């Protein structure tokens, strides 16, 4: 191990997978993972779901066991923020004043939630959700809250709304757009989710934003909306999107544009630096090569492995189709592919029962599918995208045709 | 505490004591069993926690849910009669001594 170390900045889903994959792919370097948060890396998805509801504990959040890292020769520096990168001498400076030299550098700094830009946004009962520390605060606050206002009807807002509503809290969700998840899902799926939330007594207000927070002491009591109405609540949860943590890269002169720009193999504009996960933006082969910054476990894991392959001069792990899931109540939404830009959409299943998929096509090609409680459609859609098996609108619209058979036959 | 044995694809094995109520995935993660990923954190979404349960004891497990059954079609290694997602199997006293085999790929 005479080569200088591989240093990974950001100790979460992408960083951990990158470090482990680099080792798996034969890297002989010392591997150091530097992370701002305390403790070892954990899964974020349960934070708005099973962890918030109390069904999952801290132990079950662990991404990998502590002893695995040691056995793989991966060192962790928790509670350490990297404050700058000097690319000329290949060294980092940490918040503790430590200087760390690197031979290879991986940036897996993720993203952070956008804050409300209103006076009072720092009040004790205005909460964001990204880290386990924030999830703990929210869980605690939820124990004594009777009513909650969720600002933003995106995935995190909706998952939090579902968990809080199931805990008996009266929840109102406000969303600026005329419907839920405007840029992420089709109208049919958004409507189905809306229906489930309403059946759990969640109230929705569309086309409005929070205009002012009225405080009593350190707590918000009333939120005035843009239409001048007022909502009184014990708790405010803000889920209005994210900002990539790309400042470190930008200050070091790497090309960034709403995320650290990477090529198809995870390389940044500096050949000894790769990036992966929520902080990275890449031309996406499944979306007509648009530059996308995806925020999903799949993306973080697959980009991490691809970047690790690049660092170890291994053949890339191949193109993996994007996929995502969201759990709300007992509904599982799964999305395969990138569905924006579809010109034809076909429903399979029974929307009235909330069990259906929407298959999307562009210029006659299958580009992705959304599935609500139809996991087998999702699994097949993913396989078709990954193995470039073509599907046609008429086939997927006909439920008398077994998609699994179609896929099997086209593989022969 | 009931014990589970994980047979790895290289022929070695790891046995772990699992508190009743914890999942076979959690047991594998806590014992650093290689060959299980569990990318979705046990929420029955990713199918990267695939195991083969010893045939003779298959009947002792709660059968898979509709969701688990559908997701099992998406596992990376071949799906067999005894394929299960380890995040969906909870440890009980009765399952003491259970043996599960890990596939050679998860993703
Ligand atoms: C509540 C919640 C629910 C979610 N649910 C789902 C879901 O159901 N399905 C799904 O697919 N995805 C879900 N996601 C998204 C998924 O968790 C992310 O896509 C994934 O965590 C991205 O991993 P990452 O490693 O790229 O970034 P992150 O997880 O954001 O990690 C980045 C890490 O880098 C650290 N860091 C940043 N800057 C520095 C620095 N300068 N020095 C040191 N450390 C630094 C940060 O502190 C952080 O720990 C959810 C996310 C949240 C928050
Ligand atoms: S851990 Fe993802 S399906 Fe079991």
């Amino acid at each position: 191990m005479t080569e200088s170390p591989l240093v990974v900045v950001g100790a979460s889903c992408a960083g951990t997978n990158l470090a482990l994959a680099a080792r798996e792919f034969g890297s002989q370097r010392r591997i150091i993972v530097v992370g701002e948060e305390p403790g070892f890396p954990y899964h974020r998805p349960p934070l708005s779901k099973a962890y918030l509801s109390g069904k999952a504990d801290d132990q079950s959040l662990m991404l990998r066991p502590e002893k695995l890292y040691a056995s793989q020769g991966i060192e962790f520096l928790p509670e350490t923020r990297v404050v700058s990168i000097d690319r000329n001498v290949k060294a980092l400076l940490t918040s503790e004043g430590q200087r760390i030299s690197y031979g290879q550098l991986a940036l897996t700094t993720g993203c952070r939630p956008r804050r409300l830009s209103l006076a009072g946004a720092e009040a004790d009962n205005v909460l964001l959700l990204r880290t386990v520390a924030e999830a703990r605060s929210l869980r605690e606050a939820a124990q004594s809250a009777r009513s909650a206002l969720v600002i933003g009807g995106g995935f995190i807002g909706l998952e939090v709304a579902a968990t809080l509503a199931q805990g008996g809290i009266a929840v109102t969700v406000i969303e600026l757009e005329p419907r839920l998840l405007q840029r992420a899902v089709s109208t049919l799926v958004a409507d189905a989710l809306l229906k489930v939330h309403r059946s759990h007594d969640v109230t929705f207000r569309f086309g409005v934003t929070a205009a002012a927070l009225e405080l009593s002491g350190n707590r918000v009591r009333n939120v005035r909306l843009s239409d001048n109405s007022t909502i009184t609540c014990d708790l405010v949860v803000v889920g209005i999107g994210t900002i990539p943590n790309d400042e470190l890269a930008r200050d070091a002169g790497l090309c960034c544009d709403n995320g650290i720009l990477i090529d198809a193999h995870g390389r940044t504009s500096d050949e000894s630096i790769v990036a992966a996960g929520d902080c990275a933006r890449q031309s996406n082969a499944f979306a007509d090569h648009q530059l996308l910054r995806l925020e999903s476990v799949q993306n973080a894991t697959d980009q991490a492995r691809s970047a690790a392959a690049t660092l170890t001069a291994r053949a890339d792990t191949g193109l993996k189709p994007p996929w995502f899931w969201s759990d709300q109540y007992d509904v599982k939404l799964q999305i395969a592919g990138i569905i924006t830009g579809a010109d034809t959409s076909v429903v399979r299943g029974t929307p009235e029962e909330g069990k259906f998929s929407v298959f999307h096509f562009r210029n006659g090609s299958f580009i992705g599918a959304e599935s609500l409680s139809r996991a087998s459609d999702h699994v097949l859609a993913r396989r078709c995208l990954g193995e470039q098996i073509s599907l046609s609108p008429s086939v997927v619209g006909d439920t008398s045709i077994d998609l699994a058979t179609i896929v099997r036959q086209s593989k022969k | 505490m009931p014990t589970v044995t994980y047979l790895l694809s290289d022929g070695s094995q790891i046995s772990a004591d699992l508190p009743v109520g914890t999942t076979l995935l959690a047991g594998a993660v806590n014992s650093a069993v290689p060959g299980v990923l569990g990318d979705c954190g046990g929420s029955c979404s990713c199918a990267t926690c695939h195991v083969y349960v010893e045939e003779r004891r298959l009947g002792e497990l709660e059968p898979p849910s509709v969701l688990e059954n559908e997701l099992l079609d998406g596992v990376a290694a071949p799906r067999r009669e005894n394929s299960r997602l380890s995040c969906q199997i909870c440890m009980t006293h009765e399952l003491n001594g259970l043996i599960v085999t890990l596939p050679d790929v998860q993703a």
Side-chain angles (χ1 to χ4, degrees):
Chain A
M1 296 205 189
T2 47
E3 291 169 300
S4 37
L6 160 59
V7 179
V8 181
V9 184
S12 180
C13 183
T16 306
N17 278 295
L18 196 151
L20 286 167
R23 205 47 106 210
E24 183 189 327
F25 297 159
S27 176
Q28 299 285 313
R29 290 173 194 266
R30 200 178 149 197
I31 300 181
I32 307 167
V33 184
V34 189
E36 198 179 356
E37 293 185 66
F40 282 91
Y42 55 88
H43 292 286
R44 284 187 209 286
L47 298 182
S48 48
K49 310 173 183 93
Y51 188 79
L52 185 56
S53 70
K55 273 184 229 132
D57 58 10
D58 284 82
Q59 184 59 38
S60 72
L61 287 185
M62 289 295 101
L63 206 55
R64 294 286 183 274
E66 216 175 300
K67 55 189 171 203
L68 176 69
Y69 302 120
S71 75
Q72 295 296 308
I74 294 169
E75 301 160 44
F76 272 94
L77 279 183
E79 289 180 84
T80 307
R81 183 177 170 77
V82 172
V83 291
S84 64
I85 306 169
D86 184 341
R87 292 200 285 140
N88 293 324
V89 295
K90 292 198 172 183
L92 306 175
L93 192 64
T94 73
S95 49
E96 312 298 296
Q98 196 184 344
R99 194 171 164 283
I100 306 173
S101 296
Y102 65 84
Q104 295 178 326
L105 178 63
L107 301 175
T108 51
T109 48
C111 62
R112 59 182 183 276
R114 192 179 293 280
R115 290 172 181 275
L116 274 185
S117 50
L118 291 176
E122 311 294 322
D124 290 348
N125 60 342
V126 177
L127 301 176
L128 300 164
L129 181 55
R130 182 78 196 171
T131 64
V132 66
E134 288 164 339
R136 263 182 226 127
S137 309
L138 182 54
R139 195 158 81 170
E140 223 163 85
Q143 270 158 12
S144 56
R146 297 218 305 263
S147 58
L149 174 67
V150 174
I151 303 182
F155 285 115
I156 290 182
L158 290 176
E159 288 184 356
V160 168
T163 309
L164 296 182
Q166 283 175 300
I169 296 175
V171 181
T172 303
V173 177
I174 62 169
E175 166 58 53
L176 177 62
E177 302 292 343
R179 70 156 170 96
L180 296 177
L181 300 164
Q182 176 104 315
R183 279 173 302 276
V185 307
S186 64
T187 313
L188 213 56
V189 168
D191 287 348
L193 289 174
L194 181 62
K195 203 166 123 188
V196 186
H197 277 278
R198 283 192 168 142
S199 75
H200 285 85
D201 297 325
V202 176
T203 307
F204 286 85
R205 302 279 308 276
F206 292 99
V208 288
T209 52
L213 306 173
E214 293 169 19
L215 279 88
S216 139
N218 275 336
R219 299 175 63 82
V220 168
R221 269 311 286 160
N222 297 308
V223 178
R224 193 160 49 74
L225 305 186
S226 49
D227 64 357
N228 256 328
S229 60
T230 299
I231 292 181
T232 303
C233 56
D234 301 327
L235 175 62
V236 179
V237 184
V238 182
I240 52 171
T242 62
I243 303 166
N245 293 325
D246 62 3
E247 291 82 357
L248 190 61
R250 221 179 314 138
D251 292 346
L254 299 179
C255 292
C256 296
D257 174 13
N258 177 31
I260 306 169
L261 295 178
I262 54 169
D263 71 5
H265 307 288
R267 283 187 212 96
T268 65
S269 50
D270 178 327
E271 60 173 29
S272 52
I273 307 181
V274 294
D278 285 15
C279 66
R281 189 149 171 247
Q282 187 180 37
S283 154
N284 194 300
F286 293 90
D288 236 1
H289 296 283
Q290 286 174 74
L291 283 179
L292 295 181
R293 184 175 72 81
L294 299 175
E295 294 176 42
S296 71
V297 167
Q298 170 279 326
N299 178 67
T301 328
D302 287 338
Q303 281 186 344
R305 288 182 70 82
S306 155
T310 301
L311 293 178
T312 50
R314 285 253 305 212
D316 204 341
T317 43
L319 267 187
K320 299 275 178 56
W323 64 271
F324 177 79
W325 85 93
S326 173
D327 294 325
Q328 295 166 38
Y329 311 100
D330 53 357
V331 176
K332 186 178 287 292
L333 166 67
Q334 291 165 298
I335 304 178
I338 305 291
I339 59 163
T340 44
D343 53 32
T344 308
S345 301
V346 178
V347 177
R348 189 175 169 87
T350 43
E352 315 77 61
E353 290 168 24
K355 283 192 173 114
F356 65 100
S357 296
V358 188
F359 284 76
H360 298 277
F361 300 84
R362 188 176 49 235
N363 300 329
S365 302
F366 172 57
I367 57 167
E370 305 161 278
S371 305
L372 273 184
S373 302
R374 272 182 74 104
S376 47
D377 285 351
H378 171 74
V379 164
L380 286 166
R382 236 157 84 184
R383 183 156 294 172
C384 290
L385 291 168
E387 297 171 20
Q388 289 165 341
I389 297 169
S390 61
L391 284 176
S392 73
S394 58
V395 163
V396 299
D398 185 346
T399 34
S400 70
I401 299 175
D402 179 19
L403 288 188
T405 315
I406 301 276
V407 170
R408 226 176 294 123
Q409 281 166 352
S410 60
K411 283 184 76 180
K412 281 189 189 132
Chain B
M1 229 184 268
T3 304
V4 176
T5 299
Y6 301 88
L7 295 182
L8 312 189
S9 54
D10 68 359
S12 61
Q13 62 180 64
I14 297 176
S15 292
D17 294 334
L18 256 67
V20 168
T22 53
T23 66
L24 293 196
L25 170 68
V29 169
N30 289 341
S31 302
V33 173
V36 222
L37 296 174
D39 283 346
C40 73
S43 73
C44 203
S45 298
C46 67
T48 65
C49 62
H50 180 200
V51 296
Y52 300 112
V53 174
E54 57 178 319
E55 303 269 1
R56 62 181 188 94
R57 301 195 62 182
L58 204 54
E60 294 174 39
L61 304 181
E62 292 273 331
S65 64
V66 176
L67 174 65
E68 182 188 341
N69 187 32
E70 293 187 9
L71 208 58
L72 276 166
D73 282 334
V75 293
R79 175 177 184 174
R80 300 199 198 117
E81 206 56 40
N82 58 339
S83 285
R84 291 295 305 263
L85 296 179
S86 62
C87 69
Q88 300 301 304
I89 304 174
C90 272
M91 203 54 197
T92 61
H93 285 298
E94 291 69 34
L95 287 178
N96 184 29
L98 187 74
I99 300 170
V100 298
T101 305
L102 297 169
D104 48 14
V105 278
Q106 289 284 9

